[in-house]
Amino acid sequence: MIAYLNGRLVFKDPTYVIIDVAGIGYQVKISLQTYSKIKDEEQIRLLTFLHIKEDAHTLYGFKEESEKKLFLLLISITGVGPNTGLMILSSLSTEEIEHAILSGDVATIQAVKGIGAKTAQRIILELKDKVGKQGTGETTTPLGFLKTSNKIREEALQALITLGFPKAAAEKNIAQALKKSNGEISLEDLIKASLKTL
């Protein structure tokens, strides 16, 4: 098991990073939460989870211990795989997920793409006690608002396509999110807003 990677950040995308550790480039899938916390660090340390399937070995990376713990709790639920866990962590902050679980807010969790009513109920039922006990209690600071440019629009589009959304639907949702924000929005918030309407 690879517990963490410590190395040079070679490439950063809203959905994955490449970290050079002693000349070996590790591709690591990340959530929007982790993406927003990485900023432009040259040296980076990510906590990791290695998921092994017959046809693939996939690394998932987290900047904070609280996010990794929540990810591991989420994927312990039947019907929630690592990609769905990452989708939940990209659509909602750690605090929003914990609050939804503790308050029994099925609608918030069900609003995430790929989560049905039964899975949302199962997440709340099975994690209520576990989340209450471990309370991560960390606050997240969103990226500073950036003047929206074509670069941000392109990066958001690429991220949504990587997450499996059709290009046309992604473009439409990005346009709607930009319209609502009057063009003043960070990349992370633009992707989040687009995810909510897809």
Side-chain angles (χ1 to χ4, degrees):
M1 178 61 116
I2 301 170
Y4 67 87
L5 291 175
N6 199 346
R8 187 169 61 87
L9 182 61
V10 178
F11 178 81
K12 182 178 85 162
D13 178 89
T15 56
Y16 75 95
V17 291
I18 296 173
I19 302 172
D20 183 320
V21 182
I24 299 171
Y26 292 89
Q27 184 168 322
V28 187
K29 285 192 168 191
I30 58 168
S31 71
L32 280 175
Q33 284 191 53
T34 289
Y35 174 80
S36 71
K37 286 174 185 150
I38 290 171
K39 306 283 191 279
D40 289 315
E41 297 171 24
E42 277 190 40
Q43 283 295 120
I44 186 173
R45 183 177 186 270
L46 282 187
L47 302 164
T48 55
F49 169 77
L50 178 61
H51 184 246
I52 299 173
K53 289 196 303 185
E54 284 178 23
D55 58 346
H57 287 205
T58 310
L59 271 172
Y60 295 83
F62 312 91
K63 193 81 172 96
E64 314 230 323
E65 184 73 39
S66 59
E67 190 188 2
K68 183 180 178 181
K69 280 182 181 171
L70 187 54
F71 173 80
L72 293 174
L73 286 175
L74 287 167
I75 65 171
S76 71
I77 306 295
T78 307
V80 180
N83 286 333
T84 304
L86 214 59
M87 179 70 81
I88 296 169
L89 290 165
S90 288
S91 303
L92 303 163
S93 71
T94 302
E95 292 74 28
E96 286 170 331
I97 298 163
E98 288 181 351
H99 183 266
I101 290 169
L102 293 171
S103 62
D105 185 353
V106 176
T108 295
I109 294 172
Q110 201 183 331
V112 177
K113 181 187 180 282
I115 301 288
K118 283 183 181 172
T119 304
Q121 286 163 359
R122 202 179 295 127
I123 288 170
I124 289 168
L125 191 67
E126 293 185 32
L127 297 187
K128 206 163 197 170
D129 291 340
K130 294 175 184 176
V131 165
K133 281 177 191 166
Q134 78 167 32
T136 51
E138 290 186 26
T139 55
T140 55
T141 48
L143 282 174
F145 281 128
L146 307 165
K147 186 73 184 166
T148 303
S149 65
N150 286 336
K151 186 171 182 278
I152 287 177
R153 185 189 287 255
E154 282 303 310
E155 284 184 14
L157 179 61
Q158 199 50 56
L160 293 173
I161 291 168
T162 305
L163 288 168
F165 295 100
K167 189 179 178 185
E171 282 176 336
K172 183 181 167 193
N173 283 45
I174 288 168
Q176 283 176 352
L178 286 172
K179 197 173 176 185
K180 283 181 189 170
S181 70
N182 294 324
E184 289 277 352
I185 192 167
S186 69
L187 175 60
E188 180 198 6
D189 289 336
L190 178 56
I191 296 169
K192 272 189 181 179
S194 302
L195 280 173
K196 281 177 182 167
T197 48
L198 276 163

